Amino acid sequence: MITNKIRLGVNIDHVATVRNARGGIYPDPVKAALIAQKAGADGITAHLREDRRHIKDHDIEKLMAELTIPLNFEMAATEEMLKIATRLKPASSCIVPEKREELTTEGGLDVVNNFNYLNEYISKLNSAGVSVSLFIDPDVEQIKASKELGADKVELHTGSYVDAKGSCREVELERLRAGAKFCGNIDLEVHAGHGLNYETVIAVAKIPEFTEFNIGHFLIGESIFVGLERTILDMRILMDKGREIN
Ligand code: PXP
C-alpha cells in the first residue's frame, strides 16, 4: 500500500497538559484541534489515559461533536475504554500499552503475547464500526500478529529512532524501513509516530509505505514560539520534502 502524500494526525494531548497544570479550562485542546483542522491537519489524535492526566472525557465528547476531520482515539485495551469507544464511535481507535508510572507511551504493544485477548477486543471495536490501529514496535513478529488479528492498520513506534544518537539512529531507521516494507508486502496499512520533529521527520517520510504520521509533543511545543498553524504548515512542508512532493 504505497501512497504519495502522508496524512498528518495532530495529537493535542499536551494542550490539555498545560490546561490541567492550573486545573481550569484554558488553553482548550478542542480549540487547538479546530485550529489544526483549519491549518490542514488530516486528523486529530487524543489519548484518554486511565488516570486522565491530560485529555478528559468531556474533551473527547466535544472533539467528536465539533471536528469534521477524523478523530483517532488513543486508548489502552481496557473494559472502560472499550465502553467509551463503542459508545462514541471515533473514526479509529489506536490501541497503545499504558503504564501508570510512564511519562509517555514508552514501547509498542505486545500483540504476540496478548493475541487472544486482543483478538476478542478488536472484534468488539470492529462490530461497533470503529477501525483499529495497533501501536507496535517495528518488529516483524508483532506486525505479523497484528495482521493475523485483523487490525486495519498498525502504527510503528518511532521513539527508538528519534532517541538514538549517531550511527545508532541509522540502525533504528533501518528497522522502520524494514517494518514498513514488511507491512507493504502483506498489504497492511502502516502509520508512524512518537517523538517526531522537524529534524527527524524527513528521513521517515522518505519511507514510501508510511501513509500517516501522528505527531504531538513537538508540534504543541513549537507552537508556543511560532503558533500552531505555522508549525503545522512547516511540518507539512518537511513531510512533503521527504516524499519529494513540491
Ligand atoms: N502515536 C502514539 C500511538 C502515541 O502514543 C503518541 C504519544 O501520545 C504519539 C503518536 C505522538 O507522540 P509525540 O507526542 O511524541 O509526537
Side-chain angles (χ1 to χ4, degrees):
M1 193 175 301
I2 296 177
T3 58
N4 272 328
K5 214 168 165 64
I6 305 167
R7 291 193 302 276
L8 174 59
V10 175
N11 180 315
I12 43 118
D13 291 351
H14 296 298
V15 180
T17 304
V18 176
R19 174 194 62 190
N20 299 352
R22 287 289 171 95
I25 58 167
Y26 180 85
D28 179 9
V30 179
K31 181 173 177 185
L34 293 171
I35 292 171
Q37 175 175 277
K38 205 164 158 219
D42 300 291
I44 297 296
T45 295
H47 184 177
L48 185 66
R49 294 186 74 104
E50 185 195 2
D51 62 8
R52 309 300 198 267
R53 72 173 69 156
H54 37 57
I55 294 293
K56 309 277 187 197
D57 297 63
H58 62 81
D59 295 321
I60 298 291
E61 305 252 359
K62 216 164 158 221
L63 288 167
M64 283 298 296
E66 297 191 21
L67 286 176
T68 54
I69 53 176
L71 176 68
N72 177 34
F73 178 57
E74 249 185 59
M75 56 186 251
T78 62
E79 283 307 309
E80 183 197 20
M81 291 302 148
L82 183 65
K83 276 194 198 121
I84 296 172
T86 52
R87 179 172 62 83
L88 294 177
K89 303 188 194 319
S92 65
S93 277
C94 180
I95 302 180
V96 301
E98 199 176 293
K99 294 190 221 101
R100 254 176 196 277
E101 63 278 11
E102 69 191 355
L103 287 178
T104 179
T105 315
E106 280 165 5
L109 195 64
D110 186 353
V111 183
V112 172
N113 286 309
N114 294 286
F115 192 91
N116 291 335
Y117 178 78
L118 286 170
N119 203 8
E120 208 179 306
Y121 198 88
I122 290 175
S123 22
K124 287 178 191 161
L125 284 166
N126 285 157
S127 307
V130 181
S131 166
V132 175
S133 169
L134 301 176
F135 186 49
I136 57 173
D137 289 324
D139 175 284
V140 166
E141 294 309 315
Q142 298 293 345
I143 296 169
K144 267 193 210 157
S146 303
K147 175 76 178 174
E148 273 173 50
L149 276 182
D152 299 297
K153 50 222 166 189
V154 290
E155 181 173 325
L156 300 188
H157 198 315
T158 49
S160 300
Y161 154 70
V162 167
D163 292 341
K165 304 273 178 281
S167 59
C168 295
R169 187 173 273 178
E170 184 50 39
V171 173
E172 291 299 331
L173 188 60
E174 189 47 42
R175 285 181 72 211
L176 288 168
R177 276 192 206 107
K181 190 163 185 212
F182 188 79
C183 291
N185 290 342
I186 60 170
D187 202 24
L188 179 62
E189 185 174 336
V190 61
H191 301 171
H194 209 283
L196 292 172
N197 56 28
Y198 291 159
E199 186 204 341
T200 50
V201 79
I202 296 179
V204 189
K206 284 185 195 292
I207 301 172
E209 288 83 7
F210 285 124
T211 57
E212 180 174 310
F213 291 165
N214 286 303
I215 311 180
H217 185 263
F218 175 80
L219 292 177
I220 301 307
E222 186 67 9
S223 74
I224 293 170
F225 306 113
V226 297
L228 188 54
E229 187 177 357
R230 181 72 258 157
T231 309
I232 288 171
L233 292 173
D234 286 345
M235 184 59 84
R236 168 77 74 196
I237 288 168
L238 295 174
M239 284 162 58
D240 288 350
K241 190 171 170 196
R243 276 293 154 96
E244 295 176 15
I245 297 169
N246 296 313

